[in-house]
Amino acid sequence: MANESGKNNALTLKTLNKSSVWDIQENDVFRLWENADNDSEVHENIRHYRDIVRSAFMIEELKEDSTEIRTKYEKQGYKVAQVKIDETSKVTWAIKKRPIVRVTDLTYENIRHISAAKLVEVLDRNFGGGWDSLSQSIKDIIESGFDISTTTLPKDRLHKKGGMYEKKIADGYEVLEVAKGTWVEAIFAKLKPEAEKPRIKYNSYKDDDDENDDEDVEIVDDYNKPDEDDVEIEEPNDDEINEENYSTMMDLTGDDDDITADSLEDYADE
């Protein structure tokens, strides 16, 4: 929680975007807006910043700022406060974080800002036919932020000791079980780690003190390497081929008895 707080404190209204806005809460919105009170650039682009906030929050502008009206909105979970929209005027906003309760509430901007447990909760509220009942667009959004895997097994075999279910839970996956008659589909979800962008260092000059900088750099000299077209390929001599030195590349023989029902069953469990 301390890290999240520090991250929110580092944000400003001008650095906020449609992804990071999902990290903050209603009181943070008012704080960021208040901190930008004297920023003329914010006032000139007020619609832009308001649209960013609207992507994650419901905003109601109160025409009448009375105790009765404020109480009405606060009972619905809104936070109410005044915000400055230009150099001379203020308005009263009632704002509330947009809830994520259905799969259609999921977007590429908010998918990485929910937990795997929250995702399973949302899927559970919307499921009927399992993972395949979701549209491809919703699957793409979910898989952009989560590792997803599924398995369908008879109900009495899903929790088999040492099976996929036990291994996934041990690896930190959340799971949703969807009943399908006497079978159960298990959908496993785990938040993907954020990919780090590679850092590339360019050196425009080399100092005497940097003599060892290139020790780990392997330089491949392809200058004298012959082109593929220049490589001489020895043609086979048909007179030297006979039954003794000719063989096929693949042995197609095999013992069918090696494949048993038990091995197929074990394969299906994995």
Side-chain angles (χ1 to χ4, degrees):
M1 295 297 292
N3 290 338
E4 287 296 322
S5 176
K7 180 167 62 176
N8 292 345
N9 288 334
L11 284 174
T12 68
L13 197 60
K14 291 166 70 172
T15 60
L16 203 63
N17 57 51
K18 289 187 177 181
S19 175
S20 61
V21 71
W22 286 94
D23 282 326
I24 66 175
Q25 301 303 320
E26 292 86 353
N27 288 334
D28 295 316
V29 174
F30 290 125
R31 177 179 57 81
L32 294 179
W33 214 279
E34 182 179 0
N35 290 343
D37 267 357
N38 299 319
D39 194 323
S40 59
E41 183 181 341
V42 170
H43 296 156
E44 291 172 1
N45 298 279
I46 195 73
R47 180 177 295 181
H48 167 72
Y49 297 109
R50 185 168 52 196
D51 287 346
I52 290 176
V53 174
R54 282 187 186 278
S55 67
F57 293 86
M58 295 177 286
I59 301 178
E60 297 288 340
E61 185 174 322
L62 305 188
K63 303 300 182 183
E64 178 186 347
D65 187 4
S66 64
T67 303
E68 182 181 356
I69 297 296
R70 282 184 174 235
T71 301
K72 175 185 174 181
Y73 277 95
E74 287 169 352
K75 285 182 178 179
Q76 298 177 49
Y78 285 81
K79 298 291 184 181
V80 182
Q82 284 191 329
V83 295
K84 189 174 182 180
I85 59 172
D86 57 40
E87 297 292 344
T88 58
S89 59
K90 290 185 177 183
V91 297
T92 302
W93 278 0
I95 65 174
K96 181 181 179 181
K97 192 77 168 282
R98 293 187 183 277
I100 301 175
V101 294
R102 300 178 298 274
V103 291
T104 51
D105 295 326
L106 298 172
T107 67
Y108 284 106
E109 288 76 22
N110 66 28
I111 191 63
R112 293 196 60 85
H113 299 277
I114 63 173
S115 65
K118 176 64 176 179
L119 175 64
V120 166
E121 177 188 322
V122 172
L123 295 177
D124 189 27
R125 190 176 292 115
N126 290 271
F127 263 160
W131 178 252
D132 288 337
S133 69
L134 295 174
S135 68
Q136 187 59 50
S137 60
I138 295 296
K139 288 181 182 178
D140 290 343
I141 290 173
I142 293 173
E143 291 180 325
S144 71
F146 290 85
D147 283 320
I148 300 292
S149 57
T150 67
T151 186
T152 303
L153 292 169
K155 187 182 302 183
D156 58 348
R157 290 181 53 198
L158 179 62
H159 298 273
K160 180 180 177 181
K161 185 174 179 61
M164 181 180 182
Y165 189 102
E166 185 177 280
K167 292 176 182 177
K168 289 290 187 182
I169 296 300
D171 197 25
Y173 282 78
E174 294 288 337
V175 60
L176 173 64
E177 298 181 26
V178 181
K180 294 185 174 182
T182 59
W183 291 60
V184 176
E185 179 182 8
I187 297 96
F188 302 96
K190 182 179 180 181
L191 188 65
K192 288 181 178 178
E194 290 198 44
E196 293 186 3
K197 295 182 179 180
R199 296 179 179 179
I200 302 177
K201 182 178 180 181
Y202 295 96
N203 291 327
S204 57
Y205 62 90
K206 181 177 177 65
D207 293 330
D208 293 337
D209 294 334
D210 297 333
E211 291 181 358
N212 298 323
D213 285 353
D214 296 330
E215 285 184 356
D216 297 330
V217 179
E218 179 181 359
I219 301 176
V220 180
D221 182 10
D222 291 331
Y223 183 83
N224 294 316
K225 182 179 178 181
D227 295 335
E228 291 183 1
D229 294 339
D230 297 334
V231 176
E232 182 178 351
I233 301 176
E234 184 178 350
E235 296 292 339
N237 188 342
D238 293 341
D239 295 335
E240 297 178 359
I241 298 177
N242 52 53
E243 292 182 0
E244 295 180 357
N245 61 24
Y246 178 80
S247 63
T248 59
M249 295 299 294
M250 182 180 296
D251 183 5
L252 298 179
T253 62
D255 190 352
D256 293 340
D257 294 335
D258 291 342
I259 303 176
T260 65
D262 289 338
S263 63
L264 289 175
E265 180 177 340
D266 292 339
Y267 176 77
D269 286 347
E270 290 300 318

